[in-house]
Amino acid sequence: MTILRQIGAHWTSWFKQYLEVGEAVTPEGRALLVERYNELRQQIPLIYATAIANFLGFYIATSEAFNGSFWPAHIIFVFMLVRFIYWMNEHDKDIEPEQIIKKLYVVQAVVLFVSVSFSVWGIIIFGQEDATAQNYMILYGELGAIGCAYGLSSFPNAARLPLMFMAMPLAARFMMTLEPAHVGIGGSLIIMTLLILRLVDVRATGFSALVRTRTEITMERARAVQAETRALSEQARVQVIAYSDYLTELPNRRAFIDGLAGLKAAKDKTQQSYAIALLDLDGFKPVNDTCGHAVGDDILKRVGMRLKNAIAADDVVARMGGDEFAVLFANCASQDNLMQRLKALRAAFDAPFLHEDRQFRMSACLGATMIDLQDFDPSLAIIRSDTALYEAKHRGPGEISLFSPTLEDARRRRAAIATELRMPHGLDKIEVVYQPIYELSNMRLASFEALARWTDHRLGVISPSEFVPIAEQTNMIEEISDKLLAEAFEQVRYWPEETRLSVNLSAVQLRSIICADHILALTAKHNIDPARIKFEVTETALLSDFDTARANLEKLKARGAHIVLDDFGAGFASIGYLRELHFDALKLDGSLIESITDSPESLRLLKGILNLSASLHTTCIAEHIETEAQLRLLSRLNCHSGQGFLLGRPLCAEDARALAVFTPQYRKKA
């Protein structure tokens, strides 16, 4: 029983193996099914045509002798004809691999049915003992089997069926006649059938390998296409990142400049007129530093959205970096039109910016230039816009400036100043002069203010208002300050103890965390008591980085130095700083002093400031005193100290030393 089960299991496994048509799970299996079916669609109609031709040939050759035996053949003939018509209609249809499996099972069943039927029919014919019919049967049977096997070679399990169930039985039956010729022919046919079976296996292996190779190539190609698609997608994403500002999602500086380059390349293809504007926010840094970068980032996002909504569809707005934006105006035919569009941009800042429950008011300075595409240099256009922006910022918050040749001259002068500063020994051209400051009540010399002066043989007189901003932009201000402080400290040693030195601290110095330590180290190096130094700071310098500035000033004050708030009365937030820092003195802005004898409003403001100063136990220093009337009025109002051309012009080191040593009194009476 065990042996019988093993034999049964073996034959069952063999039978299942030779009934398999393929699988539609793996890509290779699906591809093999499709290729096999596509080839069968081309071959099966020809197979049926071959079978029908063999059938008709055999029928015609033997019909007279065997009329009574042909009725089963009629059924086979009709069946093959129907299947032939069916497959002719299947020629151009595409179906899924899952449906192909079903059809291949049907193909196997049909081939098995036809093979067995033809074989049975042939064996019946052999029973008639008609040698001619037997010869015809073996001829047409073997030809039909071989033809069907060849046509079905792409489907080896089906191709084996006509050989095994038609060719082999007919050849074996032919040998059973025991006639020597029949035995020889039958044996040869069996050997040939076995060889053809081997050829079917070889062809099936080659067909499968070919399909596998095609599948692998297709998959590799698909993977290559996917990789290329991913690469293109990644390249596009990188392109977007490279040319977009991460915060505002506007084009960035690179995108804007590349756009200008593209505009230059297309100058012969467009008749449009263009203009470039640069925009810089006023007072953004203090908000960003005081309220935090989250607030600053949110404001920048909102600025970007407002600017985008304020421009036309053909215009382009980009963030150049920090709080600076750029706009490319299209269809901008005149400076009047450009000015209108710049005012529209400025109007975008009229409404306050809201962040959570807080309001922030912002303004912006704008500088712009027209573009001539026929003589267009993108770099020069940016420089000209920046020159106009510099002029607008110099005028004050919210100002607009258009580029002009006059501004170009100013730009060239600034560039020349910057070049001179960078030259070897360039700083040696800057000298220190000392303007006396007197106590107005008794005209006693109280101190000298150290002022920087620069006269160049080519550029002429260069005021601090010119070279200090340039030195700050070129990161040379600290080097200049160190040089001037060292010279001034050297002169203090020759003055009387009661005569102080007043020096200005820039915004760049105050926002350095080592500013106070560095200055104190210089005083120690020159053996100067910090109590003899008065440090003047402006509201703008405090705005730059208030926390660091306050830390530096408190450290200097702790060592005895005096702190003076300069240009008081010129800004808008100075009173607020009086609550944050205790100043030893307030230096009144010169514009206030100039008009006190002519303007009742200025006089009332001066009285209010003096009363405020007295209530804070802080002294006041008036600058730009140039008339006797101003001096008398300031003395009468109990202004503590003053300076100006009336009292004394800036002096060189030797003259200042002589004045300090002899301590002359101011001869004129107030």
PDB file of all heavy atoms in Angstrom, residues 545-567:
ATOM      1  N   ASP A 545      21.376  97.387  19.787  1.00  0.00           N
ATOM      2  CA  ASP A 545      21.298  96.198  20.642  1.00  0.00           C
ATOM      3  C   ASP A 545      21.239  96.697  22.086  1.00  0.00           C
ATOM      4  O   ASP A 545      22.270  96.822  22.755  1.00  0.00           O
ATOM      5  CB  ASP A 545      22.508  95.289  20.415  1.00  0.00           C
ATOM      6  CG  ASP A 545      22.398  93.965  21.168  1.00  0.00           C
ATOM      7  OD1 ASP A 545      21.553  93.875  22.090  1.00  0.00           O
ATOM      8  OD2 ASP A 545      23.157  93.034  20.847  1.00  0.00           O
ATOM      9  N   PHE A 546      20.050  96.981  22.565  1.00  0.00           N
ATOM     10  CA  PHE A 546      19.893  97.700  23.821  1.00  0.00           C
ATOM     11  C   PHE A 546      20.464  96.922  25.004  1.00  0.00           C
ATOM     12  O   PHE A 546      21.147  97.499  25.871  1.00  0.00           O
ATOM     13  CB  PHE A 546      18.415  98.029  24.070  1.00  0.00           C
ATOM     14  CG  PHE A 546      18.186  98.787  25.358  1.00  0.00           C
ATOM     15  CD1 PHE A 546      18.546 100.116  25.472  1.00  0.00           C
ATOM     16  CD2 PHE A 546      17.640  98.153  26.467  1.00  0.00           C
ATOM     17  CE1 PHE A 546      18.356 100.814  26.654  1.00  0.00           C
ATOM     18  CE2 PHE A 546      17.449  98.832  27.646  1.00  0.00           C
ATOM     19  CZ  PHE A 546      17.804 100.170  27.744  1.00  0.00           C
ATOM     20  N   ASP A 547      20.212  95.642  25.065  1.00  0.00           N
ATOM     21  CA  ASP A 547      20.661  94.866  26.220  1.00  0.00           C
ATOM     22  C   ASP A 547      22.191  94.868  26.326  1.00  0.00           C
ATOM     23  O   ASP A 547      22.753  95.061  27.416  1.00  0.00           O
ATOM     24  CB  ASP A 547      20.141  93.431  26.121  1.00  0.00           C
ATOM     25  CG  ASP A 547      18.632  93.365  26.316  1.00  0.00           C
ATOM     26  OD1 ASP A 547      18.080  94.284  26.947  1.00  0.00           O
ATOM     27  OD2 ASP A 547      18.026  92.400  25.819  1.00  0.00           O
ATOM     28  N   THR A 548      22.871  94.635  25.203  1.00  0.00           N
ATOM     29  CA  THR A 548      24.342  94.644  25.225  1.00  0.00           C
ATOM     30  C   THR A 548      24.862  96.044  25.511  1.00  0.00           C
ATOM     31  O   THR A 548      25.830  96.217  26.276  1.00  0.00           O
ATOM     32  CB  THR A 548      24.893  94.142  23.884  1.00  0.00           C
ATOM     33  OG1 THR A 548      24.350  92.844  23.610  1.00  0.00           O
ATOM     34  CG2 THR A 548      26.409  94.053  23.914  1.00  0.00           C
ATOM     35  N   ALA A 549      24.231  97.059  24.902  1.00  0.00           N
ATOM     36  CA  ALA A 549      24.653  98.440  25.148  1.00  0.00           C
ATOM     37  C   ALA A 549      24.505  98.796  26.624  1.00  0.00           C
ATOM     38  O   ALA A 549      25.401  99.406  27.231  1.00  0.00           O
ATOM     39  CB  ALA A 549      23.833  99.389  24.278  1.00  0.00           C
ATOM     40  N   ARG A 550      23.385  98.426  27.226  1.00  0.00           N
ATOM     41  CA  ARG A 550      23.167  98.736  28.642  1.00  0.00           C
ATOM     42  C   ARG A 550      24.214  98.030  29.507  1.00  0.00           C
ATOM     43  O   ARG A 550      24.755  98.636  30.446  1.00  0.00           O
ATOM     44  CB  ARG A 550      21.762  98.300  29.068  1.00  0.00           C
ATOM     45  CG  ARG A 550      21.524  98.496  30.566  1.00  0.00           C
ATOM     46  CD  ARG A 550      20.056  98.392  30.929  1.00  0.00           C
ATOM     47  NE  ARG A 550      19.485  97.120  30.528  1.00  0.00           N
ATOM     48  CZ  ARG A 550      18.188  96.820  30.701  1.00  0.00           C
ATOM     49  NH1 ARG A 550      17.368  97.729  31.235  1.00  0.00           N
ATOM     50  NH2 ARG A 550      17.740  95.655  30.327  1.00  0.00           N
ATOM     51  N   ALA A 551      24.527  96.778  29.197  1.00  0.00           N
ATOM     52  CA  ALA A 551      25.532  96.053  29.980  1.00  0.00           C
ATOM     53  C   ALA A 551      26.888  96.744  29.895  1.00  0.00           C
ATOM     54  O   ALA A 551      27.595  96.884  30.907  1.00  0.00           O
ATOM     55  CB  ALA A 551      25.626  94.611  29.486  1.00  0.00           C
ATOM     56  N   ASN A 552      27.258  97.215  28.700  1.00  0.00           N
ATOM     57  CA  ASN A 552      28.537  97.910  28.542  1.00  0.00           C
ATOM     58  C   ASN A 552      28.553  99.236  29.305  1.00  0.00           C
ATOM     59  O   ASN A 552      29.527  99.564  29.994  1.00  0.00           O
ATOM     60  CB  ASN A 552      28.819  98.159  27.058  1.00  0.00           C
ATOM     61  CG  ASN A 552      29.352  96.926  26.344  1.00  0.00           C
ATOM     62  OD1 ASN A 552      30.212  96.225  26.870  1.00  0.00           O
ATOM     63  ND2 ASN A 552      28.844  96.663  25.157  1.00  0.00           N
ATOM     64  N   LEU A 553      27.475  99.994  29.193  1.00  0.00           N
ATOM     65  CA  LEU A 553      27.420 101.307  29.853  1.00  0.00           C
ATOM     66  C   LEU A 553      27.404 101.164  31.373  1.00  0.00           C
ATOM     67  O   LEU A 553      28.041 101.949  32.094  1.00  0.00           O
ATOM     68  CB  LEU A 553      26.191 102.080  29.371  1.00  0.00           C
ATOM     69  CG  LEU A 553      26.205 102.486  27.892  1.00  0.00           C
ATOM     70  CD1 LEU A 553      24.899 103.177  27.514  1.00  0.00           C
ATOM     71  CD2 LEU A 553      27.389 103.377  27.573  1.00  0.00           C
ATOM     72  N   GLU A 554      26.696 100.180  31.885  1.00  0.00           N
ATOM     73  CA  GLU A 554      26.665  99.966  33.335  1.00  0.00           C
ATOM     74  C   GLU A 554      28.040  99.558  33.856  1.00  0.00           C
ATOM     75  O   GLU A 554      28.442  99.946  34.956  1.00  0.00           O
ATOM     76  CB  GLU A 554      25.614  98.907  33.679  1.00  0.00           C
ATOM     77  CG  GLU A 554      24.177  99.410  33.513  1.00  0.00           C
ATOM     78  CD  GLU A 554      23.154  98.327  33.785  1.00  0.00           C
ATOM     79  OE1 GLU A 554      23.557  97.135  33.856  1.00  0.00           O
ATOM     80  OE2 GLU A 554      21.954  98.644  33.914  1.00  0.00           O
ATOM     81  N   LYS A 555      28.778  98.773  33.062  1.00  0.00           N
ATOM     82  CA  LYS A 555      30.126  98.375  33.480  1.00  0.00           C
ATOM     83  C   LYS A 555      31.061  99.585  33.509  1.00  0.00           C
ATOM     84  O   LYS A 555      31.878  99.736  34.438  1.00  0.00           O
ATOM     85  CB  LYS A 555      30.654  97.301  32.533  1.00  0.00           C
ATOM     86  CG  LYS A 555      31.993  96.710  32.965  1.00  0.00           C
ATOM     87  CD  LYS A 555      32.396  95.537  32.083  1.00  0.00           C
ATOM     88  CE  LYS A 555      31.479  94.353  32.304  1.00  0.00           C
ATOM     89  NZ  LYS A 555      31.962  93.139  31.577  1.00  0.00           N
ATOM     90  N   LEU A 556      30.942 100.483  32.523  1.00  0.00           N
ATOM     91  CA  LEU A 556      31.759 101.702  32.510  1.00  0.00           C
ATOM     92  C   LEU A 556      31.384 102.628  33.668  1.00  0.00           C
ATOM     93  O   LEU A 556      32.249 103.215  34.331  1.00  0.00           O
ATOM     94  CB  LEU A 556      31.596 102.428  31.173  1.00  0.00           C
ATOM     95  CG  LEU A 556      32.167 101.722  29.937  1.00  0.00           C
ATOM     96  CD1 LEU A 556      31.755 102.450  28.668  1.00  0.00           C
ATOM     97  CD2 LEU A 556      33.686 101.623  30.021  1.00  0.00           C
ATOM     98  N   LYS A 557      30.068 102.722  33.904  1.00  0.00           N
ATOM     99  CA  LYS A 557      29.591 103.606  34.972  1.00  0.00           C
ATOM    100  C   LYS A 557      30.039 103.090  36.335  1.00  0.00           C
ATOM    101  O   LYS A 557      30.364 103.870  37.249  1.00  0.00           O
ATOM    102  CB  LYS A 557      28.063 103.707  34.902  1.00  0.00           C
ATOM    103  CG  LYS A 557      27.463 104.809  35.764  1.00  0.00           C
ATOM    104  CD  LYS A 557      25.979 104.937  35.471  1.00  0.00           C
ATOM    105  CE  LYS A 557      25.357 106.007  36.354  1.00  0.00           C
ATOM    106  NZ  LYS A 557      25.920 107.344  36.092  1.00  0.00           N
ATOM    107  N   ALA A 558      30.106 101.786  36.487  1.00  0.00           N
ATOM    108  CA  ALA A 558      30.542 101.204  37.760  1.00  0.00           C
ATOM    109  C   ALA A 558      31.994 101.549  38.063  1.00  0.00           C
ATOM    110  O   ALA A 558      32.402 101.566  39.232  1.00  0.00           O
ATOM    111  CB  ALA A 558      30.358  99.687  37.722  1.00  0.00           C
ATOM    112  N   ARG A 559      32.776 101.849  37.038  1.00  0.00           N
ATOM    113  CA  ARG A 559      34.168 102.235  37.235  1.00  0.00           C
ATOM    114  C   ARG A 559      34.335 103.753  37.346  1.00  0.00           C
ATOM    115  O   ARG A 559      35.455 104.255  37.350  1.00  0.00           O
ATOM    116  CB  ARG A 559      35.019 101.711  36.070  1.00  0.00           C
ATOM    117  CG  ARG A 559      35.082 100.183  36.011  1.00  0.00           C
ATOM    118  CD  ARG A 559      35.901  99.624  37.169  1.00  0.00           C
ATOM    119  NE  ARG A 559      37.276 100.098  37.089  1.00  0.00           N
ATOM    120  CZ  ARG A 559      38.219  99.505  36.380  1.00  0.00           C
ATOM    121  NH1 ARG A 559      37.925  98.395  35.698  1.00  0.00           N
ATOM    122  NH2 ARG A 559      39.445  99.983  36.360  1.00  0.00           N
ATOM    123  N   GLY A 560      33.224 104.497  37.444  1.00  0.00           N
ATOM    124  CA  GLY A 560      33.278 105.943  37.661  1.00  0.00           C
ATOM    125  C   GLY A 560      33.081 106.785  36.430  1.00  0.00           C
ATOM    126  O   GLY A 560      33.020 108.030  36.523  1.00  0.00           O
ATOM    127  N   ALA A 561      32.998 106.190  35.235  1.00  0.00           N
ATOM    128  CA  ALA A 561      32.815 106.966  34.011  1.00  0.00           C
ATOM    129  C   ALA A 561      31.440 107.617  33.986  1.00  0.00           C
ATOM    130  O   ALA A 561      30.483 107.115  34.588  1.00  0.00           O
ATOM    131  CB  ALA A 561      33.002 106.061  32.797  1.00  0.00           C
ATOM    132  N   HIS A 562      31.312 108.753  33.294  1.00  0.00           N
ATOM    133  CA  HIS A 562      30.041 109.454  33.137  1.00  0.00           C
ATOM    134  C   HIS A 562      29.424 109.061  31.792  1.00  0.00           C
ATOM    135  O   HIS A 562      30.127 108.972  30.783  1.00  0.00           O
ATOM    136  CB  HIS A 562      30.258 110.966  33.194  1.00  0.00           C
ATOM    137  CG  HIS A 562      30.585 111.471  34.559  1.00  0.00           C
ATOM    138  ND1 HIS A 562      30.096 112.654  35.070  1.00  0.00           N
ATOM    139  CD2 HIS A 562      31.348 110.946  35.554  1.00  0.00           C
ATOM    140  CE1 HIS A 562      30.553 112.841  36.298  1.00  0.00           C
ATOM    141  NE2 HIS A 562      31.325 111.803  36.610  1.00  0.00           N
ATOM    142  N   ILE A 563      28.116 108.895  31.798  1.00  0.00           N
ATOM    143  CA  ILE A 563      27.390 108.498  30.589  1.00  0.00           C
ATOM    144  C   ILE A 563      26.485 109.650  30.180  1.00  0.00           C
ATOM    145  O   ILE A 563      25.680 110.136  30.984  1.00  0.00           O
ATOM    146  CB  ILE A 563      26.568 107.216  30.795  1.00  0.00           C
ATOM    147  CG1 ILE A 563      27.445 106.106  31.395  1.00  0.00           C
ATOM    148  CG2 ILE A 563      25.947 106.764  29.490  1.00  0.00           C
ATOM    149  CD1 ILE A 563      28.620 105.708  30.543  1.00  0.00           C
ATOM    150  N   VAL A 564      26.589 110.071  28.912  1.00  0.00           N
ATOM    151  CA  VAL A 564      25.822 111.201  28.382  1.00  0.00           C
ATOM    152  C   VAL A 564      24.959 110.706  27.224  1.00  0.00           C
ATOM    153  O   VAL A 564      25.453 110.020  26.316  1.00  0.00           O
ATOM    154  CB  VAL A 564      26.762 112.321  27.891  1.00  0.00           C
ATOM    155  CG1 VAL A 564      25.945 113.482  27.322  1.00  0.00           C
ATOM    156  CG2 VAL A 564      27.657 112.794  29.014  1.00  0.00           C
ATOM    157  N   LEU A 565      23.677 111.062  27.265  1.00  0.00           N
ATOM    158  CA  LEU A 565      22.772 110.730  26.155  1.00  0.00           C
ATOM    159  C   LEU A 565      22.838 111.868  25.148  1.00  0.00           C
ATOM    160  O   LEU A 565      22.406 112.984  25.417  1.00  0.00           O
ATOM    161  CB  LEU A 565      21.343 110.530  26.665  1.00  0.00           C
ATOM    162  CG  LEU A 565      20.297 110.163  25.596  1.00  0.00           C
ATOM    163  CD1 LEU A 565      20.688 108.873  24.873  1.00  0.00           C
ATOM    164  CD2 LEU A 565      18.914 110.012  26.225  1.00  0.00           C
ATOM    165  N   ASP A 566      23.392 111.586  23.982  1.00  0.00           N
ATOM    166  CA  ASP A 566      23.650 112.604  22.967  1.00  0.00           C
ATOM    167  C   ASP A 566      22.409 112.840  22.110  1.00  0.00           C
ATOM    168  O   ASP A 566      21.529 111.972  21.997  1.00  0.00           O
ATOM    169  CB  ASP A 566      24.821 112.150  22.088  1.00  0.00           C
ATOM    170  CG  ASP A 566      25.428 113.287  21.300  1.00  0.00           C
ATOM    171  OD1 ASP A 566      25.036 114.450  21.513  1.00  0.00           O
ATOM    172  OD2 ASP A 566      26.313 113.013  20.463  1.00  0.00           O
ATOM    173  N   ASP A 567      22.351 114.021  21.498  1.00  0.00           N
ATOM    174  CA  ASP A 567      21.283 114.396  20.559  1.00  0.00           C
ATOM    175  C   ASP A 567      19.900 114.286  21.182  1.00  0.00           C
ATOM    176  O   ASP A 567      18.927 113.924  20.499  1.00  0.00           O
ATOM    177  CB  ASP A 567      21.351 113.526  19.296  1.00  0.00           C
ATOM    178  CG  ASP A 567      22.628 113.754  18.510  1.00  0.00           C
ATOM    179  OD1 ASP A 567      23.215 114.840  18.650  1.00  0.00           O
ATOM    180  OD2 ASP A 567      23.036 112.847  17.766  1.00  0.00           O
TER     181      ASP A 567
END
